[in-house]
Amino acid sequence: ERAPAVFERDQEAKAAAAKYFFIELFAGSARLTQTLQARGFRCIAVDIANGPHHDLMVERVRRRIRRLLKSSFCFGVLAGVP
């Protein structure tokens, strides 16, 4: 079975994938982030285990996440169970 074109390893697909990013909230081990990064996508894994700058209880962090979500380059978000 052929993989979707977005996951192909040619230069055009890599350039397109690098322009967009995915956000994984309450990422834990960030397995989804790791999988997407292995395919050339930029990902942001947010989890308190990564330090206080990832604490979603902090308003400054939530503002940053909201700005990222409003970006036209954010192609998806997954919020795991905290």
Side-chain angles (χ1 to χ4, degrees):
E1 181 175 299
R2 184 167 161 75
V6 73
F7 292 121
E8 291 180 1
R9 292 290 183 180
D10 64 2
Q11 292 296 53
E12 186 177 314
K14 280 185 178 181
K19 183 165 75 169
Y20 297 95
F21 63 89
F22 185 89
I23 302 171
E24 186 177 8
L25 300 174
F26 305 108
S29 63
R31 292 169 94 188
L32 178 61
T33 291
Q34 293 170 18
T35 299
L36 290 172
Q37 286 176 336
R39 287 167 172 77
F41 290 93
R42 293 184 321 165
C43 297
I44 301 166
V46 180
D47 195 282
I48 187 67
N50 297 332
H53 57 286
H54 286 259
D55 186 352
L56 290 169
M57 296 298 290
V58 176
E59 178 60 31
R60 182 183 80 253
V61 175
R62 290 194 306 267
R63 277 195 309 267
R64 178 177 174 245
I65 298 299
R66 280 193 297 270
R67 280 194 311 272
L68 290 169
L69 290 171
K70 291 178 182 178
S71 166
S72 61
F73 295 109
C74 179
F75 74 87
V77 62
L78 174 75
V81 180

